[in-house]
Amino acid sequence: QKEVEQDPGPLSVPEGAIVSLNCTYSNSAFQYFMWYRQYSRKGPELLMYTYSSGNKEDGRFTAQVDKSSKYISLFIRDSQPSDSATYLCAMSEMTGGYQKVTFGTGTKLQVIP
Amino acid sequence: DAGVTQSPTHLIKTRGQHVTLRCSPISGHKSVSWYQQVLGQGPQFIFQYYEKEERGRGNFPDRFSARQFPNYSSELNVNALLLGDSALYLCASSLEGAGNTIYFGEGSWLTVV
């Protein structure tokens, strides 16, 4: 079983829809939770960063963490064609004196005009 | 401010050859990490360096090595290249080695033929 599970999609939605992206994890030591957006052939771009259970909002993006269920989500409101990309969840833990980050496989999102 | 910069952006090598990839972190960041991203997968952790010392190593063979210089820039070296080493190699920087957000560069695309 992978430490981080993420549905690879692809997920196709119409412009303006609310998008829900999810990851589950098995490692209770994960402390920090991140979402990255990656356009084709580019490096990952940080979208959201949180370390506690609950919701964090930034513009059209809301990150949700439920540590009791080991489940995190990213919601995108009023989705735009420019949101079409691969979304990576990432989680980190302190181990052996360093911050180890584990990524999901990424969900490919397509927003259709 | 400049983000994480990596060079070269693309390169093609032959099996058995050696490659060196370079990374300059965001100004003020002291920690550099290296990741390998194979097509269709999330980034996999290779190394983390902080203050010129290796702090963590992922599950990669000894053919992979790295170092960090006094100016906090870093090199990733891969010896005896295999076809399976073809991937996007990502460098990420953070302020310190623990509990901080990591920011990625655009990566170096390595193709081994």
Side-chain angles (χ1 to χ4, degrees):
Chain A
Q1 182 189 8
K2 291 183 179 179
E3 281 189 294
V4 179
E5 298 278 359
Q6 183 175 13
D7 187 336
L11 180 61
S12 187
V13 301
E15 182 176 353
I18 296 175
V19 176
S20 173
L21 304 166
N22 311 295
C23 287
T24 59
Y25 63 96
S26 57
N27 186 350
S28 299
F30 287 141
Q31 298 173 304
Y32 300 94
F33 304 89
M34 296 152 279
W35 285 95
Y36 288 84
R37 177 174 62 194
Q38 186 173 28
Y39 291 112
S40 181
R41 303 187 72 80
K42 296 289 188 180
E45 172 194 8
L46 180 67
L47 288 176
M48 303 287 284
Y49 172 82
T50 183
Y51 56 86
S52 59
S53 285
N55 294 350
K56 181 178 181 180
E57 190 174 317
D58 184 1
R60 296 186 296 113
F61 299 93
T62 298
Q64 190 175 78
V65 175
D66 183 346
K67 289 188 177 180
S68 62
S69 300
K70 296 189 176 65
Y71 188 89
I72 71 170
S73 299
L74 178 71
F75 298 96
I76 307 174
R77 291 182 297 280
D78 188 26
S79 56
Q80 303 295 310
S82 58
D83 294 328
S84 298
T86 295
Y87 289 79
L88 296 157
C89 64
M91 309 177 188
S92 72
E93 61 177 312
M94 286 302 300
T95 179
Y98 75 99
Q99 182 180 1
K100 179 184 176 185
V101 182
T102 304
F103 285 83
T105 55
T107 299
K108 188 170 184 178
L109 171 68
Q110 183 179 20
V111 180
I112 302 170
Chain B
D1 285 343
V4 178
T5 57
Q6 293 187 242
S7 64
T9 53
H10 296 81
L11 68 167
I12 300 173
K13 291 286 189 177
T14 304
R15 276 179 300 175
Q17 284 190 316
H18 163 91
V19 68
T20 297
L21 307 177
R22 296 177 175 82
C23 171
S24 292
I26 293 170
S27 178
H29 284 195
K30 299 180 179 179
S31 178
V32 168
S33 299
W34 287 94
Y35 291 79
Q36 180 196 64
Q37 187 176 23
V38 174
L39 203 61
Q41 298 293 319
Q44 297 291 314
F45 173 74
I46 308 175
F47 289 108
Q48 184 189 56
Y49 276 77
Y50 177 64
E51 290 282 14
K52 301 180 290 294
E53 289 189 3
E54 180 183 307
R55 289 297 185 91
R57 170 187 279 260
N59 188 24
F60 280 80
D62 292 343
R63 300 184 295 106
F64 289 77
S65 64
R67 54 180 175 168
Q68 186 177 33
F69 298 100
N71 66 354
Y72 303 110
S73 67
S74 178
E75 281 182 357
L76 175 70
N77 295 283
V78 187
N79 293 323
L81 285 167
L82 303 174
L83 295 180
D85 295 330
S86 297
L88 176 65
Y89 287 85
L90 295 161
C91 175
S93 79
S94 61
L95 271 173
E96 297 178 354
N100 294 117
T101 312
I102 61 171
Y103 297 91
F104 284 92
E106 295 292 0
S108 295
W109 282 96
L110 171 65
T111 301
V112 182
V113 297

